Coordinates of all heavy atoms in Angstrom, one line a residue:
E5 N -1.5 9.4 4.9 CA -1.6 10.0 6.2 C -2.5 9.1 7.1 O -3.7 8.7 6.7 CB -2.3 11.4 6.1 CG -2.6 11.9 7.4 CD -3.3 13.4 7.4 OE1 -2.8 14.2 6.6 OE2 -4.3 13.6 8.1
I6 N -2.0 8.8 8.2 CA -2.8 7.9 9.3 C -2.8 9.0 10.6 O -1.8 9.4 11.0 CB -1.9 6.7 9.7 CG1 -1.4 6.0 8.4 CG2 -3.0 5.9 10.4 CD1 -0.5 4.9 8.7
N7 N -4.1 9.1 11.1 CA -4.2 9.9 12.2 C -4.3 8.9 13.3 O -5.3 8.2 13.5 CB -5.4 10.7 12.2 CG -5.1 11.9 11.2 OD1 -4.2 12.8 11.6 ND2 -5.7 12.0 10.0
F8 N -3.4 9.0 14.4 CA -3.4 8.2 15.6 C -4.1 9.0 16.7 O -3.4 10.0 17.1 CB -2.1 7.6 16.0 CG -1.4 6.7 15.0 CD1 -0.9 7.2 13.8 CD2 -1.6 5.4 15.3 CE1 -0.4 6.2 12.9 CE2 -1.1 4.5 14.3 CZ -0.5 4.9 13.1
D9 N -5.3 8.7 16.9 CA -6.0 9.6 18.1 C -5.8 8.8 19.4 O -5.8 7.7 19.5 CB -7.5 9.5 17.8 CG -7.9 10.6 16.8 OD1 -7.3 10.7 15.7 OD2 -8.9 11.2 17.1
G10 N -5.5 9.8 20.4 CA -5.5 9.3 21.8 C -6.8 9.0 22.3 O -7.7 9.8 22.2
I11 N -7.0 7.7 22.8 CA -8.2 7.5 23.5 C -8.3 8.2 24.8 O -7.3 8.3 25.5 CB -8.2 5.9 23.8 CG1 -8.3 5.1 22.5 CG2 -9.6 5.5 24.7 CD1 -8.3 3.7 22.7
I12 N -9.4 8.8 25.0 CA -9.5 9.7 26.1 C -9.6 8.8 27.3 O -10.5 7.9 27.4 CB -10.7 10.7 26.0 CG1 -10.5 11.6 24.8 CG2 -11.0 11.5 27.3 CD1 -11.5 12.6 24.4
G13 N -8.8 9.1 28.3 CA -8.6 8.1 29.5 C -9.7 8.2 30.5 O -10.4 9.2 30.7
P14 N -9.8 7.1 31.3 CA -10.9 7.2 32.3 C -10.7 8.1 33.5 O -11.6 8.3 34.3 CB -10.9 5.7 32.9 CG -9.5 5.2 32.4 CD -9.1 5.9 31.2
S15 N -9.5 8.7 33.6 CA -9.3 9.8 34.6 C -9.4 11.2 34.2 O -9.2 12.1 34.9 CB -7.8 9.5 35.3 OG -7.0 9.9 34.2
H16 N -9.9 11.3 33.0 CA -10.2 12.7 32.4 C -10.9 13.6 33.4 O -11.9 13.3 33.9 CB -11.1 12.6 31.2 CG -11.7 13.8 30.7 ND1 -11.0 15.0 30.3 CD2 -13.0 14.2 30.6 CE1 -11.9 15.9 30.0 NE2 -13.1 15.4 30.1
N17 N -10.2 14.6 33.8 CA -10.8 15.6 34.7 C -10.3 17.1 34.5 O -9.4 17.3 33.7 CB -10.4 15.0 36.2 CG -8.9 15.3 36.5 OD1 -8.4 16.4 36.9 ND2 -8.1 14.5 36.2
Y18 N -11.0 18.1 35.1 CA -10.7 19.3 35.0 C -10.0 20.0 36.2 O -10.6 20.4 37.2 CB -11.9 20.1 34.6 CG -12.7 19.8 33.5 CD1 -14.0 19.2 33.6 CD2 -12.0 19.6 32.2 CE1 -14.6 18.8 32.3 CE2 -12.7 19.1 31.0 CZ -14.0 18.7 31.2 OH -14.6 18.4 30.0
S19 N -8.7 20.0 36.1 CA -7.9 20.5 37.3 C -7.2 21.8 37.1 O -6.4 22.3 38.0 CB -6.8 19.3 37.6 OG -7.5 18.2 38.2
G20 N -7.3 22.4 36.0 CA -6.8 23.7 35.8 C -5.2 23.8 35.7 O -4.6 24.6 36.4
L21 N -4.6 22.7 35.2 CA -3.2 22.5 35.3 C -2.3 23.3 34.3 O -1.1 23.4 34.5 CB -2.8 21.0 35.1 CG -3.6 20.2 36.3 CD1 -3.3 18.6 36.0 CD2 -3.0 20.4 37.7
S22 N -2.9 23.8 33.3 CA -2.1 24.3 32.2 C -2.1 25.8 32.1 O -3.0 26.5 31.4 CB -2.5 23.8 30.8 OG -2.0 22.5 30.6
L23 N -1.1 26.5 32.7 CA -1.0 27.8 32.6 C -0.8 28.4 31.2 O -0.1 27.8 30.5 CB 0.2 28.4 33.6 CG 0.4 29.9 33.5 CD1 -0.8 30.7 34.1 CD2 1.7 30.2 34.0
G24 N -1.6 29.4 30.8 CA -1.6 29.8 29.3 C -2.6 29.1 28.5 O -2.8 29.5 27.3
N25 N -3.3 28.1 28.9 CA -4.3 27.3 28.3 C -5.6 27.9 28.9 O -6.1 27.6 30.0 CB -4.1 25.9 28.3 CG -5.3 25.0 28.0 OD1 -6.4 25.5 27.8 ND2 -5.1 23.8 27.7
I26 N -6.3 28.7 28.2 CA -7.4 29.5 28.7 C -8.6 28.5 29.1 O -9.3 28.7 30.2 CB -7.9 30.6 27.8 CG1 -6.7 31.6 27.8 CG2 -9.2 31.3 28.2 CD1 -6.7 32.7 26.8
A27 N -8.9 27.6 28.2 CA -10.0 26.6 28.6 C -9.7 25.9 29.9 O -10.6 25.7 30.8 CB -10.2 25.7 27.5
S28 N -8.3 25.4 30.0 CA -8.2 24.7 31.3 C -8.2 25.6 32.4 O -8.8 25.0 33.5 CB -6.6 24.2 31.0 OG -6.1 23.9 32.3
A29 N -7.9 26.7 32.4 CA -8.0 27.6 33.5 C -9.5 28.0 33.9 O -9.9 28.0 35.1 CB -7.2 29.0 33.2
T30 N -10.3 28.2 32.7 CA -11.6 28.6 33.0 C -12.5 27.5 33.6 O -13.4 27.7 34.3 CB -12.2 29.0 31.5 OG1 -11.3 30.0 30.9 CG2 -13.7 29.5 31.7
N31 N -12.2 26.3 33.2 CA -13.1 25.1 33.7 C -12.5 24.3 34.8 O -13.0 23.3 35.1 CB -13.3 24.2 32.4 CG -14.0 24.9 31.3 OD1 -15.0 25.5 31.6 ND2 -13.4 24.8 30.1
K32 N -11.5 24.9 35.4 CA -10.9 24.2 36.6 C -12.0 23.9 37.6 O -12.8 24.8 37.9 CB -9.8 25.2 37.2 CG -9.2 24.6 38.5 CD -8.2 25.6 39.1 CE -7.7 25.0 40.4 NZ -6.5 25.7 41.0
G33 N -12.0 22.7 38.1 CA -12.9 22.4 39.2 C -14.1 21.8 38.7 O -15.1 21.4 39.6
L34 N -14.5 21.8 37.5 CA -15.8 21.4 37.0 C -15.9 19.9 37.0 O -14.8 19.3 37.2 CB -16.0 21.8 35.5 CG -16.3 23.3 35.1 CD1 -16.7 23.4 33.7 CD2 -17.4 23.9 36.1
V35 N -17.0 19.3 37.0 CA -17.3 17.9 37.0 C -16.9 17.4 35.6 O -17.5 17.9 34.7 CB -18.6 17.5 37.5 CG1 -18.8 16.0 37.4 CG2 -18.8 17.8 38.9
S36 N -16.1 16.5 35.3 CA -15.8 15.9 34.0 C -16.6 14.8 33.8 O -17.2 14.1 34.8 CB -14.3 15.6 33.9 OG -14.0 14.5 34.9
H37 N -16.7 14.4 32.6 CA -17.5 13.1 32.1 C -16.6 12.3 31.3 O -16.8 12.3 30.0 CB -18.7 13.6 31.4 CG -19.8 14.3 32.4 ND1 -19.7 15.6 32.5 CD2 -20.6 13.7 33.3 CE1 -20.6 15.9 33.6 NE2 -21.2 14.9 34.0
P38 N -15.8 11.3 31.9 CA -14.9 10.6 31.2 C -15.5 9.7 30.1 O -15.0 9.5 29.1 CB -14.1 9.9 32.1 CG -14.2 10.6 33.5 CD -15.6 11.3 33.4
R39 N -16.6 9.0 30.5 CA -17.3 8.2 29.6 C -17.6 8.9 28.3 O -17.4 8.4 27.2 CB -18.4 7.4 30.3 CG -18.9 6.2 29.6 CD -20.1 5.7 30.2 NE -19.7 5.2 31.6 CZ -20.7 5.0 32.6 NH1 -22.0 5.2 32.3 NH2 -20.3 4.7 33.7
A40 N -18.4 10.0 28.6 CA -18.9 10.8 27.4 C -17.7 11.2 26.6 O -17.7 11.3 25.3 CB -19.7 11.8 27.9
A41 N -16.8 11.7 27.3 CA -15.4 12.2 26.6 C -14.9 11.2 25.6 O -14.5 11.4 24.5 CB -14.5 12.6 27.6
A42 N -14.7 10.1 26.3 CA -14.1 9.0 25.4 C -15.0 8.5 24.3 O -14.5 8.3 23.1 CB -13.7 7.8 26.3

Side-chain angles (χ1 to χ4, degrees):
E5 172 178 314
I6 317 168
N7 286 290
F8 292 82
D9 277 46
I11 296 177
I12 297 175
S15 69
H16 162 62
N17 69 90
Y18 299 123
S19 288
L21 297 175
S22 278
L23 179 65
N25 169 342
I26 291 169
S28 156
T30 308
N31 295 313
K32 177 178 179 168
L34 291 188
V35 174
S36 67
H37 293 91
R39 193 183 302 159

